[in-house]
Amino acid sequence: NGCIISRTPVSVVEVPDRSGGLSNLLSVFAEENIDIEYMYSLFASAGEKAYMVFRVDEGEKLEAAVTKKGIKILSKEDIGLK
């Protein structure tokens, strides 16, 4: 078919869906010196929560840092993937 496909590991993080809701999470990234390659939001009906997708070099470091702060990392199943 002439298509090139690659899979890239990302982390999906739950943040409060309000003004400044992302600020707390980005502070964790800064404290831990986690560089963001790219990020984007997922459209979902999560009520008071929003979902942000992050691509970083050190995924395990990201997940440990945000989990330590009580911030939820979402699984594939949480966002409707298999």
Side-chain angles (χ1 to χ4, degrees):
N1 292 326
C3 296
I4 298 174
I5 298 173
S6 66
R7 296 174 77 172
T8 304
V10 296
S11 298
V12 182
V13 182
E14 187 177 83
V15 298
D17 190 10
R18 59 174 166 71
S19 296
L22 184 59
S23 176
N24 184 43
L25 177 60
L26 294 180
S27 293
V28 174
F29 282 59
E31 290 169 10
E32 298 291 332
N33 286 327
I34 298 171
D35 292 326
I36 300 169
E37 288 185 31
Y38 59 82
M39 64 185 242
Y40 54 89
S41 63
L42 289 180
F43 292 102
S45 179
E48 296 182 7
K49 300 293 181 182
Y51 302 149
M52 295 297 299
V53 178
F54 293 91
R55 169 68 177 140
V56 299
D57 279 341
E58 301 173 283
E60 293 88 14
K61 184 177 178 180
L62 174 151
E63 293 185 15
V66 299
T67 301
K68 181 173 68 176
K69 297 287 187 174
I71 300 169
K72 184 177 179 181
I73 298 285
L74 297 160
S75 69
K76 294 186 301 187
E77 293 77 20
D78 289 334
I79 59 172
L81 299 176
K82 294 181 182 185

